[in-house]
Amino acid sequence: MGGDCILCGKCLEVCPLLAATGREELGPRAKADLCALLAGDDSLLRGEDAARLAGLCLGCGRCRKVCSQGVDVPGLVAALRGAHPDFRGWLWKTWLTHARELWAAGSTAARLIPGRWRPEKLGPLLKMLAGLKGGPGLDPFLTPTTFPDTHRGSKVLFFAGCTATHVQRRWLAAALELLDGLGVEVLPGDFGCCGGGLKAAGFAAEAGDMAARNFEVWRAAGRPGVVTLCASCLSGLAAAGEMLSGDEADAWAGALTPLSTLVRSVSFRLSDDAPERVGYHRPCHADAGDSDFLLLREALGERLVAATDKECCGFGGVMRLARPGLGDQVNGRCWERLGVAATVLTGCSACAAQLTATAPDGVRVGHWLEAVG
Ligand code: SF4
Ligand code: SF4
């Protein structure tokens, strides 16, 4: 995946796992080296070792973004997860035995797994996890006052994502209300999961099925814009575009739109009891311009007092199951940066779940849509 590593070290500067642990053997360059060594001969690694290695990556993609050679470390790790015959069994076994300890992240993850992919025997556990409550959420403090006509009359599909569809229905309601205020017509379309989490976990074929279904929904609607509220969903949908070719691939890439880019044109009034200090967690999968941050900076002004930059929330998908201790170290660095704010906003479902589960006492976390109402 990509070219050969030239040992420039750029990826070492951005890897949150390396930053939190100081262990270069956990960094992207070491993983790229190891995967190159193993290329074409999976038998070099025993199942247990493959599982261990496959668990040592947050899948944040920060190293891929800065690599001039196109080395795709999270892609290599995902391929290792998918290629090794023992990995799938290990993953479910680990989930079964450790999900209780990780209930906060696990409860969200349980909801994110589409029903048809759930192994039968895990049904009761996943049901229990899915029923657990998250944090208290936020009381709205940003009221829309003026909607410009810029987008009035346009037609889009809305990709809500698994979390907003099945768990955080208030995000969905707030998003649809904003689109309605903007005069944007939401076309009917039954999207599935973006497939990003499945692909990162090594379930490439299943992720491909999800993507194919989503492309069909988009084509049937006449290839309109696709608006989404979650940074990771947007990233997963963009990555799925690799399955398309030519003009259609360009059209898909151009159609994907973060909700916040539309909402930036809305004027907001701050309520009297709005928090004085608000933090912003930048998801690893934020779009290139980080439109959620730009929206919040305009809406909140000087109340936005802290924003993560290099810090990852530590959710890490598979790594959360494989090496929760490492994820905790990464998460700790994130809270060091955000700790000055009593309210923290973000624009990613997984980050919101992880930060809600790990927030210090007195700190409330939510998707930025929870602040709107
Ligand atoms: S940025 Fe790319 S080329 Fe440079 S060390 Fe990392 S993987 Fe190798
Ligand atoms: S994907 Fe993230 S955690 Fe994994 S090696 Fe790259 S920067 Fe590090």
Side-chain angles (χ1 to χ4, degrees):
M1 285 178 189
D4 292 333
C5 174
I6 56 170
L7 305 177
C8 70
K10 280 213 173 77
C11 57
L12 306 184
E13 294 163 21
V14 298
C15 176
L17 188 55
L18 178 54
T21 62
R23 292 168 57 186
E24 200 170 323
E25 75 273 19
L26 300 181
R29 194 165 61 183
K31 284 194 273 273
D33 279 353
L34 201 52
C35 288
L37 193 72
L38 295 169
D41 191 357
D42 291 336
S43 65
L44 287 172
L45 213 56
R46 286 182 303 123
E48 218 173 273
D49 295 331
R52 201 169 293 133
L53 172 63
L56 291 174
C57 180
L58 293 155
C60 69
R62 289 174 184 258
C63 53
R64 183 176 48 205
K65 285 182 191 164
V66 300
C67 179
S68 63
Q69 304 305 300
V71 177
D72 177 8
V73 174
L76 289 167
V77 173
L80 179 69
R81 289 168 178 165
H84 210 283
D86 295 330
F87 184 73
R88 199 175 281 225
W90 170 86
L91 181 61
W92 294 125
K93 187 171 156 229
T94 307
W95 193 316
L96 192 62
T97 50
H98 293 291
R100 276 174 194 277
E101 298 154 29
L102 308 169
W103 72 268
S107 65
T108 300
R111 294 163 176 141
L112 299 182
I113 297 178
R116 56 191 282 230
W117 306 122
R118 297 179 187 180
E120 274 303 304
K121 63 182 178 179
L122 292 188
L125 174 69
L126 291 171
K127 202 170 162 198
M128 181 276 287
L129 288 170
L132 291 170
K133 286 195 169 71
L138 302 177
D139 300 320
F141 52 86
L142 286 168
T143 307
T145 52
T146 316
F147 289 93
D149 288 333
T150 329
H151 306 288
R152 197 162 297 281
S154 59
K155 298 180 182 193
V156 302
L157 283 165
F158 186 64
F159 188 94
C162 301
T163 304
T165 302
H166 302 296
V167 188
Q168 296 284 4
R169 302 283 300 178
R170 59 187 290 200
W171 300 357
L172 181 58
L176 293 178
E177 216 165 291
L178 285 167
L179 288 171
D180 187 49
L182 285 162
V184 174
E185 183 183 342
V186 177
L187 301 167
D190 187 18
F191 283 123
C193 169
C194 72
L198 287 167
K199 192 173 173 188
F203 295 78
E206 289 86 346
D209 288 349
M210 296 283 181
R213 170 181 164 180
N214 292 333
F215 295 145
E216 280 313 310
V217 171
W218 176 61
R219 288 180 188 122
R223 298 187 171 89
V226 178
V227 175
T228 183
L229 58 78
C230 168
S232 285
C233 291
L234 191 74
S235 170
L237 292 172
E242 291 168 4
M243 290 169 61
L244 302 174
S245 57
D247 290 348
E248 194 172 47
D250 294 342
W252 175 254
L256 301 177
T257 309
L259 175 66
S260 47
T261 59
L262 307 184
V263 177
R264 274 184 71 192
S265 57
V266 176
S267 301
F268 291 96
R269 178 171 41 78
L270 276 163
S271 66
D272 293 342
D273 57 356
E276 290 297 324
R277 298 150 78 86
V278 179
Y280 171 70
H281 172 66
R282 176 172 291 128
C284 294
H285 295 116
D287 59 278
D290 196 359
S291 54
D292 292 347
F293 172 71
L294 296 178
L295 165 70
L296 292 173
R297 195 176 59 185
E298 283 169 24
L300 294 167
E302 292 185 356
R303 289 178 195 244
L304 197 65
V305 292
T308 55
D309 183 13
K310 293 181 177 176
E311 295 80 8
C312 168
C313 70
F315 182 78
V318 170
M319 205 184 87
R320 186 74 201 155
L321 289 169
R323 301 293 295 274
L326 291 177
D328 290 345
Q329 279 179 262
V330 174
N331 177 259
R333 275 177 65 90
C334 189
W335 278 115
E336 275 172 30
R337 184 72 180 261
L338 290 169
V340 295
T343 300
V344 172
L345 303 178
T346 188
C348 166
S349 313
C351 298
Q354 169 74 349
L355 293 176
T356 297
T358 57
D361 286 347
V363 177
R364 295 176 76 180
V365 180
H367 190 289
W368 61 264
L369 278 164
E370 291 179 47
V372 177

